[in-house]
Amino acid sequence: MSGISVFLREWAPYIAQAVGETFVMVGVSLAFSVAIALPLGALLVVTGPGRPRASRLVHGALNLLINLVRSLPFIILLFFMLPVTKAIAGTTIGVRGVIVPLVAYSAPYIARLIESSLLEVDRGVIEAYEAMGVRGRDLVVQVLIREARPSLLRSLTIATIGLVGATAMAGLVGAGGLGDLAYRFGFVRYENAVMYVTVALLIALVQLIQTIGNGLARRLSKGG
Amino acid sequence: MVGSAETVFALRSVGKTFGQGPGAVAALSGVSLDIRRGEILGVIGQSGAGKSTLVRCLNYLERPSSGSIEFEGTPLESLDAAGLRALRRRMGMIFQGFNLLKTATVLENVALPLRLLGFPPGEVEARSREYLGVVGLSDKLDAYPSQLSGGQKQRVAIARAIAHGPEVLLCDEATSALDPENTEAILRLIAAINERYGITVVLVTHEMRVVQAVCDRVAVLDGGELAELGAVVDVYADPRHPATRRLLAGILPREMTASLIDRLGVHGSVYSLTFRGQAAGRPALAETIKSFAVSANILAANIIELKREPFGLLVIAFSGAKAEVGRALAHLRELGVAVREWGNEHERD
Ligand SMILES: Nc1ncnc2c1ncn2[C@@H]1O[C@H](COP(=O)(O)OP(=O)(O)OP(=O)(O)O)[C@@H](O)[C@H]1O
Ligand SMILES: [Mg+2]
């Protein structure tokens, strides 16, 4: 029997499980993060100076909050947030326990990316729609966010890849995932083959995310 | 269309100040004017004169800091958010930078606002196609703005601005980003839309040529104040404010003429003749010189095509017996030529 099939028989279940955990962690925390970050980013933009709903108070408060949370590296956030995590998720371990800190880590980051994507939209365009009597909600959703879609997708691609990195630390709370696999077997137990396979998988995953992101963004920005 | 007597916008002492304290900029001060239904009103002035601020006050993209604006009798300051949106739906606006959605096709660019304004889907489609036809872009429905020329982009913007059936079209430097050929085509289109739908047009520009091509009346802004307001032909024939003369300098060479008169030393016998409409087309001067014992030295001559009529300005030094010159001038006046003594020409006759 070849070495490859021996290796696979021994490690395939672990690797499959780790890939699955990584997908779940990235997918679920991305969904929550975007759900929080999109309104935050839009609010940041519309309350900014010279914008339709300019408000120093709201804009300043949001800025401060986002900066505070973003000051903490994920690894610190993970431990610092334990009580909050427990209260929200009911547990602080496993995949479930890591979603809360992952969201807390990436939502403010994504909000910033979304803010800068939305700021790229020409203000004149918004003004043209304002001048036609389009209501504020539609201005944000149907014009601002719509026009920013290609840029938003590129931002989300960056954020997703960042999340893959953050999940690698999730092993610390027993959440598993590819990073954890590489650490536990590849590093601690000197299983070099596992380490190489994990690294290859991570590279493939990041490439895949980037390719899908670019493709979608390109499709939406046909006009250029 | 020539404007009717009916007032669409009534502006009373409109002022707009940006900022506060010592850094404050008075973009508009004490501007009072009426905009008439169906007219094309040009708003001209140098950069920073307050032109954009003025049109943006008309749809309340900018709120005046003083004075009042009424739209068909409704004071704009009395409107709540919903009322303001309803008012804006009765207007359309085009811009120097076109302001189209880059990620939407030509058709979508016109259809999206209609959908957001609540037109039923069938009508959204029908209107979008109809108005893109009006601006001559029926063959570009699926193109993206990046695939269009500047003139074509402005056509899309015009279709978008009129597709919902507004009563007023506001144009802020709509041709400033275009080459002369496209400028002319877009101006022709705006004039045609004004004729066809009776839409009142307020057209901001810094080029007198744009005013003379399509406007019925012109408002000259200078440092935020209304320097002059009148029918284009009247303002051309008799520009009173220095700002207006500056703007006309490149078109009607009055200043050059003044220095020429000084050098020739022909003061006293110099007259400016303005030919308007019919008179511009007739050989009035040649006829007159034949019939009277006078000779004419033409110092400056200029004929331009205004929207409705040709307009000519001649500056002439007459020589001959004083009484004979007087009779010749009277004859010219009979032929419909406005005659004024040079240097004394700003008493309107
Ligand atoms: N949002 C603003 N904040 C501060 N100052 C402003 C603002 N908008 C206009 N101004 C000032 O008001 C004055 C008039 O500006 P406006 O844009 O109306 O001029 P304009 O006649 O349209 O000039 P241009 O031909 O350059 O477009 C200028 O001094 C300008 O700097
Ligand atoms: Mg301007």
Side-chain angles (χ1 to χ4, degrees):
Chain A
M1 225 192 268
S2 78
I4 290 182
S5 59
V6 171
F7 175 83
L8 278 183
R9 190 152 12 103
E10 190 181 351
W11 292 103
Y14 291 103
I15 293 172
Q17 195 194 348
V19 168
E21 286 161 349
T22 295
F23 268 100
V24 170
M25 282 188 284
V26 171
V28 174
S29 52
L30 184 68
F32 278 111
S33 299
V34 171
I36 295 170
L38 196 58
L40 276 186
L43 204 58
L44 267 175
V45 170
V46 299
T47 57
R51 291 281 171 169
R53 296 275 186 283
S55 158
R56 263 209 171 122
L57 184 72
V58 177
H59 191 72
L62 273 181
N63 257 330
L64 184 68
L65 178 75
I66 288 174
N67 288 346
L68 282 180
V69 181
R70 286 205 60 209
S71 309
L72 304 180
F74 178 64
I75 197 82
I76 295 180
L77 203 60
L78 189 62
F79 295 115
F80 182 72
M81 282 191 64
L82 285 176
V84 183
T85 306
K86 175 106 189 154
I88 295 177
T91 175
T92 59
I93 55 165
V95 169
R96 204 182 149 89
V98 86
I99 296 293
V100 173
L102 277 176
V103 170
Y105 168 69
S106 69
Y109 175 50
I110 295 178
R112 278 285 182 236
L113 289 174
I114 288 176
E115 179 194 20
S116 78
S117 288
L118 296 183
L119 283 174
E120 282 167 27
V121 175
D122 186 352
R123 282 163 83 145
V125 178
I126 306 301
E127 203 165 79
Y129 279 80
E130 215 186 338
M132 284 183 279
V134 171
R135 63 173 64 236
R137 191 186 336 127
D138 289 337
L139 277 181
V140 173
V141 178
Q142 308 273 4
V143 184
L144 188 59
I145 293 179
R146 182 202 189 286
E147 179 75 344
R149 283 177 312 178
S151 166
L152 284 173
L153 271 170
R154 285 190 198 95
S155 297
L156 286 188
T157 306
I158 295 172
T160 309
I161 290 171
L163 262 176
V164 173
T167 58
M169 285 172 254
L172 291 168
V173 290
L178 283 168
D180 181 47
L181 187 74
Y183 174 75
R184 276 192 299 150
F185 298 100
F187 178 69
V188 179
R189 296 217 238 141
Y190 303 108
E191 293 279 358
N192 283 338
V194 176
M195 182 66 108
Y196 295 146
V197 168
T198 314
V199 168
L201 281 173
L202 280 169
I203 291 172
L205 182 60
V206 168
Q207 286 294 341
L208 182 74
I209 293 170
Q210 191 69 56
T211 307
I212 293 175
N214 286 351
L216 287 175
R218 202 171 314 120
R219 257 183 52 194
L220 284 174
S221 63
K222 268 173 303 190
Chain B
M1 256 178 82
V2 187
S4 67
E6 195 187 334
T7 296
V8 181
F9 282 104
L11 285 74
R12 296 288 170 264
S13 314
V14 172
K16 173 71 187 182
T17 305
F18 290 105
Q20 284 161 352
V25 179
L28 288 178
S29 43
V31 173
S32 298
L33 69 102
D34 286 349
I35 299 175
R36 301 171 187 164
R37 182 174 301 287
E39 76 172 335
I40 302 187
L41 174 72
V43 176
I44 193 165
Q46 293 185 323
S47 185
K51 309 180 293 290
S52 297
T53 308
L54 182 69
V55 273
R56 292 163 56 81
C57 280
L58 296 180
N59 59 5
Y60 251 42
L61 282 179
E62 221 69 84
R63 277 163 202 268
S65 358
S66 60
S68 80
I69 298 179
E70 284 184 6
F71 178 69
E72 295 181 1
T74 307
L76 300 192
E77 63 266 27
S78 71
L79 296 171
D80 59 9
L84 186 56
R85 281 200 303 273
L87 171 104
R88 286 175 175 166
R89 288 171 190 208
R90 298 165 67 185
M91 304 183 192
M93 191 168 189
I94 56 175
F95 308 81
Q96 179 169 357
F98 321 123
N99 295 348
L100 301 175
L101 290 172
K102 288 195 196 75
T103 61
T105 62
V106 165
L107 186 65
E108 289 164 348
N109 262 294
V110 180
L112 180 63
L114 291 175
R115 210 175 72 227
L116 298 181
L117 294 186
F119 284 87
E123 205 181 336
V124 167
E125 178 83 12
R127 275 183 179 258
S128 307
R129 288 177 185 277
E130 179 192 340
Y131 285 92
L132 282 165
V134 169
V135 301
L137 286 179
S138 293
D139 57 337
K140 295 279 185 201
L141 300 184
D142 296 321
Y144 285 87
S146 61
Q147 300 162 331
L148 301 180
S149 73
Q152 289 171 326
K153 284 184 209 170
Q154 196 59 288
R155 285 169 189 274
V156 179
I158 290 173
R160 180 178 70 177
I162 62 172
H164 60 289
E167 294 157 53
V168 179
L169 178 63
L170 306 174
C171 314
D172 191 356
E173 306 271 13
T175 58
S176 301
L178 305 178
D179 61 30
E181 225 164 279
N182 274 310
T183 295
E184 200 173 305
I186 291 295
L187 290 176
R188 268 204 305 274
L189 178 60
I190 291 174
I193 286 167
N194 164 258
E195 284 286 342
R196 176 164 169 189
Y197 301 101
I199 299 179
T200 307
V201 179
V202 181
L203 200 155
V204 163
T205 179
H206 59 270
E207 287 179 289
M208 217 54 193
R209 282 167 213 288
V210 169
V211 168
Q212 80 194 32
V214 289
C215 295
D216 300 300
R217 291 197 306 153
V218 60
V220 181
L221 285 182
D222 184 45
E225 290 177 23
L226 183 63
E228 196 150 352
L229 173 69
V232 174
V233 63
D234 291 333
V235 172
Y236 268 64
D238 185 13
R240 296 179 166 198
H241 195 279
T244 317
R245 294 185 183 198
R246 263 199 313 276
L247 289 163
L248 280 171
I251 294 172
L252 302 173
R254 285 171 201 273
E255 302 312 318
M256 212 176 74
T257 310
S259 71
L260 181 68
I261 290 167
D262 278 343
R263 255 191 300 143
L264 294 178
V266 287
H267 288 280
S269 60
V270 180
Y271 294 85
S272 74
L273 314 184
T274 38
F275 300 73
R276 298 162 54 160
Q278 297 298 331
R282 294 176 51 185
L285 184 62
E287 254 173 51
T288 307
I289 291 167
K290 245 187 251 167
S291 324
F292 298 91
V294 295
S295 64
N297 182 11
I298 299 178
L299 304 176
N302 215 314
I303 288 206
I304 41 186
E305 194 68 33
L306 296 183
K307 183 185 180 190
R308 292 188 193 288
E309 51 193 354
F311 166 83
L313 173 74
L314 289 185
V315 181
I316 291 186
F318 282 104
S319 47
K322 196 162 184 196
E324 195 64 3
V325 170
R327 276 194 291 278
L329 294 177
H331 181 69
L332 279 168
R333 288 197 175 99
E334 258 163 51
L335 295 174
V337 178
V339 180
R340 291 186 204 88
E341 203 180 333
W342 185 262
N344 202 6
E345 55 168 352
H346 298 293
E347 286 155 29
R348 235 163 235 188
D349 46 14

